[in-house]
Amino acid sequence: MENTGPPRQPAAMSRGMAVAYAIGLPLALLVLIFLPAGTLAWRPGWIFIAVLIVAFGASALVLARVNPIIYRARSRFQPGTKAWDKALLAVIFPAVAAILPVAALDAGRFHWLPVPPWAVVSGYIGLLAGIAVTAWAQAVNPYFEPGVRIQSERHQRVIDGGPYRLVRHPGYVAAVVMFLGMALALGSAWALLPAALASALLVLRTAWEDRLLRAELPGYDDYARRVRWRLIPGLW
């Protein structure tokens, strides 16, 4: 049944939660990288963190100007998030987090399988490109939530501008590029394994989300006929 009342936007993040994010995320990065590396003197780890801070900081400043509601939308999982999506994310999130300690153990401590400098540079290019495309998608899509659901209380509509003109799920494309880029930027081939697992599950999530949107979001089926590709133009 269509929601005819005024749109209800997500509640703002509490001050305590904002402080927890601001403190907890940097601390988590430090622990996940330098504890497995066995030293705080691992220079590639500090370079990686600095690049993340600058890139995500720049994207946050842009989003705060062009689409500030995105911070509310992405602050928590909203009611109605599909159970299958929560199950997928319960594996995807740990797999993404595992990229950092695996890379630190490999490249920072044991040097199991060194990668060439060009691969590290390619990793940073992929990482920055992924952050940029994610910010672009979030800038044009106020419904860019962390969980999969139909946001009927927000009067969700199809977004077909920006990167959505090219593929139906640009945020997932960006995420896959970021996952692989994280591993290579830290100089680790072994870290590509959890990155590949997270990416494969994200591709599965894309298919399931696309099926949900076709069935339940008005106008999405027509959009899918116009923009044929889910992730890769000309391929899939």
Side-chain angles (χ1 to χ4, degrees):
M1 183 175 179
E2 186 177 355
N3 192 327
T4 57
R8 300 193 309 274
Q9 299 299 345
M13 185 185 301
S14 68
R15 185 183 298 272
M17 184 62 70
V19 171
Y21 272 114
I23 297 175
L25 289 179
L27 285 178
L29 274 177
L30 293 173
V31 170
L32 289 173
I33 291 176
F34 293 108
L35 186 62
T39 176
L40 287 172
W42 188 41
R43 186 181 178 192
W46 289 111
I47 295 174
F48 179 82
I49 290 174
V51 169
L52 282 187
I53 290 173
V54 171
F56 278 114
S59 69
L61 290 174
V62 172
L63 290 172
R65 291 181 61 87
V66 302
N67 190 18
I69 196 65
I70 199 69
Y71 292 107
R72 292 190 179 195
R74 295 192 60 76
S75 65
R76 61 181 67 84
F77 287 97
Q78 306 294 339
T81 298
K82 299 299 181 181
W84 56 260
D85 190 45
K86 294 179 180 178
L88 279 177
L89 293 175
V91 182
I92 292 175
F93 284 160
V96 174
I99 295 171
L100 302 180
V102 170
L105 283 171
D106 178 12
R109 179 176 289 196
F110 296 115
H111 309 290
W112 290 318
L113 192 58
V115 301
W118 64 263
V120 175
V121 173
S122 298
Y124 274 111
I125 292 173
L127 178 61
L128 293 173
I131 293 172
V133 172
T134 299
W136 188 17
Q138 291 179 349
V140 302
N141 185 2
Y143 310 106
F144 200 113
E145 289 189 357
V148 172
R149 69 186 185 102
I150 299 300
Q151 302 169 39
S152 56
E153 82 287 355
R154 300 184 66 197
H155 297 185
Q156 182 179 0
R157 60 180 176 83
V158 173
I159 302 298
D160 57 5
Y164 293 91
R165 292 174 296 180
L166 306 176
V167 293
R168 301 203 295 271
H169 300 277
Y172 292 164
V173 178
V176 169
V177 173
M178 277 195 291
F179 297 162
L180 301 175
M182 287 165 59
L184 292 177
L186 284 168
S188 173
W190 281 107
L192 290 171
L193 294 178
L197 173 60
S199 299
L201 292 174
L202 206 59
V203 171
L204 176 61
R205 189 190 194 205
T206 303
W208 288 359
E209 180 176 351
D210 208 67
R211 184 170 59 188
L212 171 71
L213 294 173
R214 278 180 176 269
E216 299 187 24
L217 183 62
Y220 189 85
D221 200 46
D222 290 337
Y223 164 68
R225 292 191 183 97
R226 297 196 311 272
V227 179
R228 296 175 54 195
W229 313 111
R230 293 175 182 170
L231 295 176
I232 306 174
L235 184 60
W236 189 71

